[in-house]
Amino acid sequence: MKILLKLFLSLLLLLCFNLVQAQTFKITGSVVEQTKKQTLEFASIALVRLPDSSAVGTQMTNQFGLYEFKNIKPGKYQIKVLMMGYEKQASSPFELKDGDHKVAPITLQNRTQSLKEIAVVSKMPVIDQKSDRTIVNVEQMNTTGDNALEVLSRAPGIKLDKDDNLILKGKKGITVMIDGKISYMSGGELTTYLKSLPGSVLSKIELISNPPSSFDAAGTGGFINIKLKRNRMQGINGNANLGGGYGKYEKVYGGTNLNYNIGKISSYVRLNAGRYNSFNRLTLNRQIGDEQFNQVNFWHPITSSLNYSAGADYFINDKHTIGVMFKGFNSPDETDVTSNSPNYNAQGVKAGNVAMHNPQTNKSGNHALNLNYRVKIDTLGKELSFDADYVYYQNDKNETFTNTYFDANDQLKGPPVDLRNFGNGDISIYALKLDYIHPISKKMKFEAGWKSSWVSTNSNVRFDSLKNAMWINDPKRTNRFLYNENINAAYASVEQSFKNLEIKVGFRVEQTLGDGFSSGTSTDIVRKYWKVFPTVSASFKASENNQLTASYRKSINRPSYRSLNPFTFYTDPYTALQGNPLLQASYADNYEFNYSYKNYRLFTLSYATTNGSESEVIYQNNETKESISRPENLNRETSLYMATGNPFDVVKWWNNNTELYAQYNKTSSPIQGSGYNASQWSWGISTDNTITLPKDYVFNVYAYYQAPSVSGLFRNLEAYGINVGVKKTFWKKNATIALKLNDVFATGMFRATLNYNNINTYWKNEWENRKVSLNLTYKFGNMKIKTARNRKTGTGEEEGRVGGN
């Protein structure tokens, strides 16, 4: 803590020094229209330094057509003005020397060409490859009927595992951010949230394999930043959408995105709601000794979800900005679960059956508050920002189990066994974050920062059994789990630009302090350690069309709070989940290389080694037939990923985005006292084709194929699917109606095998992938541009570890 305190005080002293070190002046002026001599509001003003025309600052004229630049150092300058519908203009050069300067009014002349004469032929590409990340422009995709998770699964390099967890370029441990703010969700909690978020509200997806040291060290597989739609135009504007779909069951959803930007205030409100009737079928074929157990679990949830968020930025002046964000998510559901588990002897004759009925009432949700402040210390790029965050998660579960046992002739073997469970859990997260940027020169920049977070989790589970018409508490299945954690971090980095080369080197130091207790098992959990995480990245422009980038990052993946809970949760009479208090954090070394030609990604190479990676290990009792799955640290996982592909126009009306990849995965670890080694080369291809038709129709076909692969202890079988859709814009291109058929041949499913020690299992997980969806979107409001900022808040890695209670 002393190191963090010294860093904080040093930054404050540096700030104070820079605020008083130089004499500055003010530049003011106005913009008028030529014909009527009226002042013009919302004209774009740029202050440039001469003679190199480097940008010093930009802003918009106010409602009186005035602009003002403060704290400007002495020197030679010029004002440049740009506004839609008018010719570009610039002031005469002037020198700022002994005092404030008022620029003569700048007059703009109307353009003679009308908008109807202008043909816009360019559009934003679906995939945009940057030096440090891949950007997916979701607004260029047909996302009708898709949720956010389904949209993510179509992004380059992303796959889903058996539990719908994200895998990026063959690596697990992904940290997900929403609008630059870490979601603090993982596992089932993150999956539920992404499934409730309509794909139509997504604007962009940023895939960041090796982020810089200003990001949390968590996320051994990298970061995914989901940017939601927010219009930066002046006045009131927004969009509304309404849609529905049908697969095996019906679903309906809708929402609105409102933006209000005027003067010094930029604000927004988002509301999205839906009712989703769906299913999930899990088939397990388990060989236990000489017996065969065929188990089918069927989940039928009916979910009513509500996502809401609001935020505002207040631009005090051109240097100081304060902001607030609030978001929330509620997803209550009524789920009916049935399970049928027949078993057969060595001769293949049916020996018995167990049927389970498990109705559930679940309530899950969260809300988060962020307060932020940013100050531009000078016009050279010095900047200080501060974030304070609070996040709260809650999850309540009320369920009953009725287990009925049958003999080989399907006759009852005694009365049913009745159980009930009342569970609740809450997680509170607090975080403070400070970031400082200091350009040392035009080609060198220094960054530093600090972050502290505090997490408190409280989970209660109570099981009762029905005996003699009375509910009796079962102490073996009742538990309270408490866990508190504090993470302190500091980072620093230096970025240097040369003629054709940019290099950035940084490091991050993180301290972890955690303690927990499980009443059901009387287990204490203690975590105390320091770790250093270096990062290096380089970008080399070999020529105008050829660019090479390379990066390295060391990262950590801390266990989710639930996975540390040693209590056992039964999902059916033969299957249970159990946490592991001995679970440790895993560490990964990630390397990546990219080669682009004319911004076309020709080649990507990613290599990662993970020590202590977390994986579910099944312990099977051949006598009781029970299988208990618990997370454990594997010794070592290796991943090699290679890919090529980028969007391009086959012809003027046909855009194709095809990605071809090959990967190698290897797992080596002792499992239950025996050595385990699995490795395999795999490959896959995806193609997304957009065909522009006359009269504003657009037709889309998306298809993918994934060859068999290895992921942890699972040997995944091949997967493939195809989607088709069509959309049309109308009402002066403000409205869009879209129709889509997802998973045309109902092939979208997860299939895998598990073979180690006494485990011999075939696994098939099916969802309601095949469905037809219809969606209507309408845009409305003013379209005058106003610059607004993008920010990354403090609560990040902690939310990514919630994953339920």
Side-chain angles (χ1 to χ4, degrees):
M1 289 301 295
K2 289 183 179 180
I3 296 175
L4 297 177
L5 182 59
K6 290 180 179 178
L7 175 62
F8 179 69
L9 292 175
S10 298
L11 291 175
L12 287 180
L13 289 173
L14 185 60
L15 170 62
C16 295
F17 172 74
N18 281 282
L19 288 175
V20 301
Q21 66 174 337
Q23 186 179 16
T24 59
F25 303 104
K26 181 169 61 176
I27 298 173
T28 59
S30 62
V31 177
V32 297
E33 193 267 342
Q34 182 186 42
T35 304
K36 299 180 180 180
K37 301 301 180 181
Q38 294 178 342
T39 58
L40 292 174
E41 183 182 6
F42 306 129
S44 298
I45 310 297
L47 174 65
V48 298
R49 183 183 290 106
L50 299 178
D52 59 357
S53 293
S54 59
V56 176
T58 60
Q59 60 178 259
M60 295 281 184
T61 54
N62 62 18
Q63 61 267 39
F64 305 109
L66 304 176
Y67 60 87
E68 181 180 78
F69 292 94
K70 296 180 180 179
N71 301 318
I72 305 301
K73 294 180 179 180
K76 292 184 178 181
Y77 297 94
Q78 186 180 37
I79 294 290
K80 294 185 177 182
V81 184
L82 178 66
M83 189 172 184
M84 182 176 291
Y86 295 88
E87 299 290 345
K88 293 185 293 184
Q89 292 291 343
S91 72
S92 300
F94 58 90
E95 185 172 3
L96 192 65
K97 186 168 30 176
D98 299 323
D100 298 341
H101 181 81
K102 185 174 181 178
V103 181
I106 299 175
T107 302
L108 298 188
Q109 180 180 358
N110 279 294
R111 290 179 180 171
T112 57
Q113 187 180 29
S114 68
L115 291 175
K116 292 182 179 179
E117 297 171 338
I118 301 175
V120 180
V121 296
S122 63
K123 65 177 183 178
M124 187 180 297
V126 177
I127 307 296
D128 190 7
Q129 184 67 51
K130 301 296 185 181
S131 60
D132 63 339
R133 66 195 64 192
T134 300
I135 300 175
V136 182
N137 294 300
V138 180
E139 294 181 80
Q140 303 302 316
M141 302 167 61
N142 186 349
T143 59
T144 302
D146 290 346
N147 57 50
L149 187 67
E150 290 169 330
V151 175
L152 277 169
S153 68
R154 292 171 56 184
I158 289 186
K159 295 195 300 181
L160 303 177
D161 70 4
K162 65 179 180 65
D163 298 318
D164 279 344
N165 294 314
L166 295 164
I167 298 175
L168 176 60
K169 297 179 181 178
K171 297 174 288 185
K172 297 179 289 185
I174 308 298
T175 298
V176 174
M177 300 190 297
I178 308 295
D179 286 331
K181 174 181 173 59
I182 298 183
S183 66
Y184 288 111
M185 291 182 284
S186 67
E189 185 81 17
L190 178 61
T191 298
T192 300
Y193 172 75
L194 293 176
K195 286 184 176 180
S196 73
L197 194 64
S200 59
V201 305
L202 273 62
S203 174
K204 291 181 173 61
I205 299 171
E206 295 181 338
L207 310 176
I208 313 171
S209 299
N210 286 336
S213 56
S214 57
F215 284 63
D216 287 356
T220 52
F223 279 67
I224 297 176
N225 183 27
I226 300 173
K227 290 188 173 182
L228 304 181
K229 291 180 180 178
R230 180 179 178 184
N231 200 319
R232 309 293 189 179
M233 306 299 180
Q234 275 291 308
I236 297 177
N237 54 68
N239 62 73
N241 71 88
L242 179 65
Y246 189 85
K248 186 179 178 65
Y249 304 104
E250 77 289 345
K251 49 214 86 248
V252 63
Y253 47 86
T256 185
N257 180 6
L258 299 175
N259 306 276
Y260 180 67
N261 304 305
I262 188 166
K264 295 184 177 182
I265 297 176
S266 175
S267 59
Y268 70 92
V269 174
R270 301 190 193 103
L271 290 172
N272 289 281
R275 184 181 184 275
Y276 303 90
N277 191 351
S278 61
F279 79 91
N280 176 209
R281 181 187 292 110
L282 174 63
T283 301
L284 296 175
N285 297 328
R286 296 188 287 193
Q287 186 72 36
I288 305 178
D290 293 332
E291 296 182 85
Q292 178 74 30
F293 276 70
N294 297 331
Q295 180 178 332
V296 178
N297 288 6
F298 187 86
W299 287 267
H300 181 195
I302 300 177
T303 305
S304 299
S305 68
L306 175 65
N307 285 278
Y308 51 92
S309 62
D313 292 329
Y314 177 64
F315 301 87
I316 302 171
N317 51 42
D318 58 345
K319 290 186 176 293
H320 299 269
T321 306
I322 59 174
V324 60
M325 291 193 302
F326 177 77
K327 71 173 185 177
F329 161 63
N330 291 304
S331 181
D333 69 76
E334 298 284 341
T335 302
D336 191 65
V337 184
T338 58
S339 175
N340 191 45
S341 304
N343 60 294
Y344 301 85
N345 60 26
Q347 288 74 40
V349 178
K350 188 175 182 179
N353 184 31
V354 179
M356 181 196 72
H357 184 216
N358 171 218
Q360 304 175 4
T361 299
N362 303 302
K363 295 180 180 180
S364 62
N366 68 67
H367 55 261
L369 176 67
N370 167 258
L371 302 175
N372 55 85
Y373 168 72
R374 186 180 72 170
V375 54
K376 295 180 179 179
I377 299 172
D378 60 19
T379 58
L380 299 177
K382 295 176 186 175
E383 184 177 301
L384 186 70
S385 60
F386 175 78
D387 284 272
D389 291 271
Y390 169 70
V391 183
Y392 177 76
Y393 288 89
Q394 187 172 21
N395 189 3
D396 297 325
K397 180 184 287 287
N398 187 349
E399 59 184 337
T400 61
F401 297 83
T402 300
N403 300 320
T404 307
Y405 295 81
F406 300 90
D407 61 19
N409 299 314
D410 291 330
Q411 299 298 310
L412 284 173
K413 294 173 61 177
V417 176
D418 292 299
L419 302 169
R420 71 180 184 184
N421 168 40
F422 300 98
N424 64 80
D426 57 79
I427 297 176
S428 298
I429 304 171
Y430 301 86
L432 297 174
K433 185 166 76 81
L434 185 72
D435 297 285
Y436 175 67
I437 300 175
H438 184 109
I440 299 173
S441 66
K442 289 184 178 180
K443 295 187 176 182
M444 179 177 287
K445 182 171 66 175
F446 171 76
E447 296 181 35
W450 151 80
K451 177 187 173 183
S452 288
S453 65
W454 299 265
V455 179
S456 177
T457 176
N458 183 0
S459 175
N460 288 281
V461 176
R462 176 187 172 91
F463 263 93
D464 299 329
S465 59
L466 185 63
K467 295 181 179 179
N468 299 322
M470 295 182 62
W471 288 105
I472 307 299
N473 178 245
D474 185 350
K476 293 183 179 180
R477 297 187 178 186
T478 297
N479 178 63
R480 184 183 184 191
F481 178 66
L482 302 172
Y483 184 74
N484 297 295
E485 186 178 76
N486 168 223
I487 298 177
N488 301 298
Y491 75 89
S493 66
V494 175
E495 184 176 357
Q496 174 71 57
S497 298
F498 301 94
K499 183 178 180 181
N500 297 316
L501 177 66
E502 292 184 2
I503 298 177
K504 188 170 186 176
V505 179
F507 71 92
R508 187 179 184 94
V509 180
E510 293 193 351
Q511 177 195 34
T512 303
L513 304 170
D515 63 87
F517 177 74
S518 170
S519 64
T521 59
S522 299
T523 303
D524 289 306
I525 301 171
V526 178
R527 298 284 187 270
K528 292 182 180 181
Y529 55 88
W530 286 85
K531 292 294 179 181
V532 179
F533 303 94
T535 60
V536 180
S537 64
S539 177
F540 177 66
K541 196 168 185 178
S543 65
E544 182 179 354
N545 297 324
N546 294 274
Q547 184 169 1
L548 306 172
T549 63
S551 61
Y552 164 77
R553 174 180 182 247
K554 190 174 186 66
S555 57
I556 183 174
N557 194 41
R558 297 180 179 89
S560 69
Y561 308 119
R562 180 176 181 175
S563 64
L564 293 173
N565 187 351
F567 194 69
T568 303
F569 302 86
Y570 280 85
T571 58
D572 61 60
Y574 295 118
T575 309
L577 303 174
Q578 185 184 74
N580 181 5
L582 301 178
L583 198 63
Q584 300 295 318
S586 59
Y587 299 90
D589 293 285
N590 302 281
Y591 306 83
E592 184 161 313
F593 170 81
N594 290 282
Y595 169 54
S596 299
Y597 177 74
K598 291 185 177 180
N599 292 325
Y600 185 96
R601 184 189 61 164
L602 285 180
F603 183 66
T604 291
L605 175 65
S606 177
Y607 176 74
T609 59
T610 305
N611 294 309
S613 63
E614 182 180 329
S615 181
E616 293 290 331
V617 177
I618 297 176
Y619 288 80
Q620 181 173 280
N621 189 319
N622 287 358
E623 299 298 325
T624 65
K625 318 304 180 187
E626 288 184 342
S627 293
I628 298 178
S629 177
R630 57 177 278 167
E632 293 192 358
N633 292 111
L634 302 183
N635 190 34
R636 185 180 178 88
E637 279 191 304
T638 303
S639 171
L640 177 65
Y641 178 90
M642 297 175 287
T644 184
N646 218 67
F648 69 97
D649 289 327
V650 181
V651 291
K652 184 178 180 180
W653 46 267
W654 177 11
N655 181 267
N656 174 270
N657 177 25
T658 296
E659 181 186 51
L660 177 65
Y661 72 87
Q663 67 180 41
Y664 174 78
N665 294 96
K666 181 178 180 180
T667 302
S668 301
S669 182
I671 301 294
Q672 301 171 6
S674 301
Y676 178 85
N677 290 280
S679 61
Q680 184 167 349
W681 278 97
S682 178
W683 69 279
I685 186 173
S686 66
T687 179
D688 200 344
N689 297 271
T690 301
I691 299 173
T692 303
L693 303 173
K695 297 184 178 180
D696 295 322
Y697 282 94
V698 176
F699 180 69
N700 177 262
V701 180
Y702 171 79
Y704 72 93
Y705 174 81
Q706 298 171 0
S709 61
V710 167
S711 178
L713 303 180
F714 282 84
R715 291 185 175 271
N716 304 329
L717 304 181
E718 65 179 359
Y720 47 90
I722 184 171
N723 306 332
V724 295
V726 62
K727 64 180 181 179
K728 175 179 171 56
T729 56
F730 55 101
W731 287 347
K732 297 181 180 180
K733 297 192 176 182
N734 287 322
T736 303
I737 187 168
L739 179 69
K740 183 177 180 181
L741 176 59
N742 195 68
D743 194 13
V744 176
F745 302 107
T747 55
M749 64 185 73
F750 177 88
R751 298 177 302 144
T753 60
L754 286 163
N755 290 282
Y756 56 89
N757 296 345
N758 65 337
I759 304 298
N760 185 0
T761 300
Y762 168 77
W763 186 300
K764 182 170 74 171
N765 209 356
E766 303 169 88
W767 304 269
E768 193 181 19
N769 278 341
R770 183 164 67 175
K771 58 181 181 286
V772 61
S773 303
L774 182 67
N775 189 77
L776 174 65
T777 303
Y778 179 68
K779 297 184 296 183
F780 55 87
N782 200 348
M783 293 296 163
K784 293 180 179 178
I785 299 175
K786 173 183 175 71
T787 302
R789 62 189 177 127
N790 181 33
R791 58 178 179 264
K792 178 163 64 76
T793 59
T795 50
E797 184 256 339
E798 298 81 8
E799 276 193 71
R801 295 165 56 208
V802 173
N805 298 304

